[in-house]
Amino acid sequence: DGMNVLFIVVDDLRPVLGCYGDKLVKSPNIDQLASQSIVFSNAYAQQAVCAPSRVSFLTGRRPDTTRLYDFYSYWRVHAGNYSTMPQYFKENGYVTLSVGKVFHPGVSSNHSDDYPYSWSIPPFHPSTEKYENDKTCRGKDGKLYANLVCPVDVTEMPGGTLPDIQSTEEAIRLLDVMKTKKQKFFLAVGYHKPHIPLRYPQEFLKLYPLENITLAPDPWVPEKLPSVAYNPWTDIRQRDDVEALNVSFPYGPLPDDFQRQIRQSYYAAVSYLDTQVGLLLSALDDVGLSNSTIVVFTADHGWSLGEHGEWAKYSNFDVATRVPMMFYVPGMTTPSVSQGERVFPYLDPFSHTLGLVPQGRSKKVVELVSLFSTLAELAGLQVPPACPETSFHVALCTEGASIVQYFNASEEKVQEEEDGHDDTYKCFNEESVAFSQYPRPADTPQWNSDKPKLKDIRIMGYSMRTVDYRYTVWVRFNPNNFSADFGDVHAGELYLVETDPNQDFNIYNSTSHG
């Protein structure tokens, strides 16, 4: 009870981390956190795009309840006056603080990151954030471009720094303030990288020689992929270096050597992110709060690195919806730490190749929408009630059950407990399932297929992921009354995870799986 919360959310991070079994990446600090945490290997976002995903997990409601599938509405006005996770902590005596990209900035969080509802003080945004998409990438000709692949000399950057570096510095400053004031806090830190452009300090390239970089295991568009399911990666096409390649729309493909460069830069950006996380966690040790702070690490969704011939997110595939998710709870996921003992010494990715094994790993299928109730339970607060079937009028409820029951029980023991369940969250002894969804403007790839505005959405792809399969139906959707017509199925997908882990062979129309 009464623990602080450090909530770290990363933009566009798929689980390419040592603790998730990636052999190439160097992520010693996140791996070190994982070694003291319960790590969920099957965690999924509710929609693979920034604003809808963040509003969903910060309110504990699914996109069909927030009614946000694009970037252009504020749920309190547009759907219902839903409480958020930081708001709930604030109302329960916590000082709530936001650093970097936590809510998606703009209309979807009322141009204020939902301040003052969610936060005790105005959220912090790095001053250099505004240069994110400027021409800051030096080309071979010495000129500056707005490239996708963008290793930089940090000293040459506007302000001589990068946004994530500024966010780490501010978060560390706030930890010092909280330590001095002895106040219970909920500190959310949102990191930008590896979101595009892949702009990071150039020395991180050294960790990933190009000759070690392979293509995606399935860099082609699957033969039986319905065209509505494909995302044509329009956002990367607008970058100077990609535009220069003159790649055909919608399927490309990108040249192999450029695919390798994107993958190399994504990995480099992840190692740069890892150093920022390492500095932040090390600062938690410095102020002596590692033994009284819950740390959560996750991402808003994943990112395709050439799988299915796709780049970016904007789909229902695992590569776009699967995220890292881990919880460090002192005394629960790890033995209690004595005062002054370091839990998170900073590890330099250039000298450490730590393949630390997670403290506990759960294969249970879980969802980001469960974060709200899970954190409330871990902090000893009353868990918000489960939402009724329609909950537009209910300010405080959640559509994601707490997953604390999966923390320290073996999977078998949890099964027994579930069989004697009470009815709070209906009956959960059936298989755990994660739901995701993605809107499309048409049955075939269009210029706005990746990010259709609400008024242009005609089809919604609803997807469910169990431990054994991913099943998706693309159905007619009416944006005027937010209704999906499951009687009007435009296309379907079914992938068996065991025999087809990359989801390349759609067996939806195969009679043997009727």
Side-chain angles (χ1 to χ4, degrees):
D1 282 11
M3 289 245 185
N4 305 307
V5 178
L6 173 58
F7 181 75
I8 304 170
V9 56
V10 184
D11 210 342
D12 291 18
L13 178 66
R14 56 192 261 162
V16 293
L17 297 164
C19 53
Y20 278 85
D22 191 289
K23 298 282 186 280
L24 185 64
V25 76
K26 295 186 171 48
S27 54
N29 293 289
I30 299 169
D31 297 348
Q32 176 170 256
L33 172 64
S35 74
Q36 307 286 334
S37 301
I38 168 96
V39 175
F40 286 90
S41 50
N42 272 313
Y44 296 90
Q46 275 47 79
Q47 191 182 322
V49 68
C50 306
S53 173
R54 288 162 188 263
V55 167
S56 169
F57 68 70
L58 288 163
T59 60
R61 318 273 185 131
R62 299 182 186 278
D64 279 347
T65 307
T66 65
R67 293 185 162 173
L68 181 70
Y69 315 103
D70 59 13
F71 297 79
Y72 307 106
S73 64
Y74 177 42
W75 76 92
R76 291 186 193 271
V77 176
H78 173 76
N81 189 18
Y82 311 144
S83 295
T84 68
M85 171 167 47
Q87 178 184 355
Y88 189 60
F89 275 83
K90 185 180 164 200
E91 287 163 358
N92 279 282
Y94 281 73
V95 176
T96 56
L97 307 157
S98 172
V99 172
K101 184 175 176 182
V102 180
F103 277 100
H104 190 86
V107 182
S108 61
S109 58
N110 202 31
H111 299 283
S112 65
D113 297 276
D114 198 45
Y115 173 79
Y117 296 103
S118 287
W119 312 107
S120 305
I121 60 173
F124 168 87
H125 284 278
S127 59
T128 59
E129 215 172 68
K130 57 179 178 286
Y131 308 115
E132 261 308 79
N133 297 310
D134 288 7
K135 297 184 184 253
T136 53
C137 323
R138 203 166 288 291
K140 292 206 166 62
D141 57 7
K143 292 188 187 135
L144 291 176
Y145 294 92
N147 285 344
L148 169 63
V149 172
C150 187
V152 297
D153 176 344
V154 177
T155 59
E156 288 180 358
M157 290 300 99
T161 185
L162 290 170
D164 285 346
I165 296 173
Q166 287 184 290
S167 290
T168 302
E169 288 164 355
E170 176 63 10
I172 291 172
R173 187 188 74 78
L174 289 170
L175 286 176
D176 280 329
V177 172
M178 289 297 105
K179 163 77 174 168
T180 314
K181 291 194 169 163
K182 296 191 167 42
Q183 282 173 307
K184 219 167 36 166
F185 62 83
F186 177 103
L187 169 59
V189 183
Y191 286 114
H192 281 270
K193 293 303 121 189
H195 192 287
I196 68 169
L198 299 168
R199 187 168 72 125
Y200 53 86
Q202 59 199 15
E203 56 270 23
F204 286 93
L205 270 178
K206 291 204 239 359
L207 293 170
Y208 303 102
L210 207 50
E211 59 271 19
N212 296 352
I213 306 292
T214 57
L215 296 180
D218 53 348
W220 61 88
V221 180
E223 195 185 322
K224 294 195 169 148
L225 181 71
S227 52
V228 67
Y230 185 79
N231 72 280
W233 32 280
T234 44
D235 58 351
I236 78 163
R237 293 171 189 271
Q238 288 152 25
R239 306 282 161 174
D240 293 347
D241 49 354
V242 180
E243 214 172 1
L245 297 167
N246 214 358
V247 182
S248 68
F249 185 90
Y251 295 111
L254 287 171
D256 286 5
D257 59 335
F258 194 74
Q259 292 194 36
R260 284 195 179 84
Q261 282 176 42
I262 298 177
R263 288 169 66 90
Q264 173 192 40
S265 272
Y266 187 89
Y267 274 88
V270 170
S271 289
Y272 158 55
L273 161 78
D274 182 78
T275 61
Q276 297 308 307
V277 172
L279 292 167
L280 177 59
L281 293 173
S282 170
L284 194 64
D285 273 352
D286 292 343
V287 292
L289 293 173
S290 302
N291 57 353
S292 56
T293 304
I294 294 164
V295 182
V296 190
F297 178 89
T298 191
D300 55 357
H301 43 71
W303 212 76
S304 297
L305 283 168
E307 294 87 0
H308 315 113
E310 295 181 327
W311 302 89
K313 46 256 185 185
Y314 316 127
S315 82
N316 281 319
F317 284 120
D318 276 17
V319 280
T321 54
R322 185 169 167 245
V323 293
M325 191 199 274
M326 60 189 80
F327 298 82
Y328 160 79
V329 189
M332 183 180 189
T333 62
T334 169
S336 287
V337 197
S338 52
Q339 197 64 40
E341 193 186 329
R342 293 196 80 82
V343 187
F344 304 118
Y346 175 76
L347 303 172
D348 180 351
F350 291 91
S351 51
H352 275 89
T353 46
L354 254 170
L356 282 172
V357 181
Q359 187 70 26
R361 180 183 285 282
S362 174
K363 290 199 174 75
K364 280 281 179 200
V365 175
V366 297
E367 310 174 281
L368 286 181
V369 78
S370 288
L371 281 168
F372 189 163
S373 40
T374 303
L375 274 175
E377 183 174 342
L378 289 173
L381 306 179
Q382 195 168 354
V383 178
C387 290
E389 194 153 331
T390 52
S391 63
F392 296 108
H393 56 291
V394 185
L396 180 67
C397 68
T398 155
E399 295 183 286
S402 165
I403 56 174
V404 173
Q405 55 169 337
Y406 302 145
F407 273 38
N408 39 15
S410 67
E411 312 271 319
E412 291 73 41
K413 184 160 156 267
V414 169
Q415 197 53 55
E416 277 164 42
E417 281 169 17
E418 286 175 359
D419 293 343
H421 63 280
D422 60 8
D423 249 351
T424 353
Y425 269 103
K426 305 197 180 65
C427 181
F428 262 117
N429 60 357
E430 61 264 28
E431 198 173 0
S432 55
V433 177
F435 293 97
S436 303
Q437 61 192 94
Y438 212 86
R440 292 281 187 242
D443 286 302
T444 52
Q446 314 288 315
W447 63 272
N448 63 340
S449 285
D450 294 350
K451 293 190 275 194
K453 289 186 168 163
L454 176 62
K455 66 176 174 50
D456 299 322
I457 298 172
R458 294 291 173 272
I459 301 163
M460 188 69 75
Y462 288 94
S463 189
M464 58 190 284
R465 175 68 153 83
T466 71
V467 112
D468 301 312
Y469 60 82
R470 178 173 284 290
Y471 174 58
T472 305
V473 282
W474 296 89
V475 302
R476 187 167 65 114
F477 184 84
N478 180 344
N480 301 316
N481 61 5
F482 304 95
S483 65
D485 179 359
F486 282 85
D488 184 358
V489 176
H490 287 229
E493 297 169 81
L494 177 61
Y495 304 100
L496 297 188
V497 173
E498 194 179 356
T499 51
D500 180 21
N502 299 324
Q503 297 160 16
D504 294 319
F505 302 99
N506 179 14
I507 56 170
Y508 178 80
N509 290 323
S510 132
T511 47
S512 55
H513 296 91

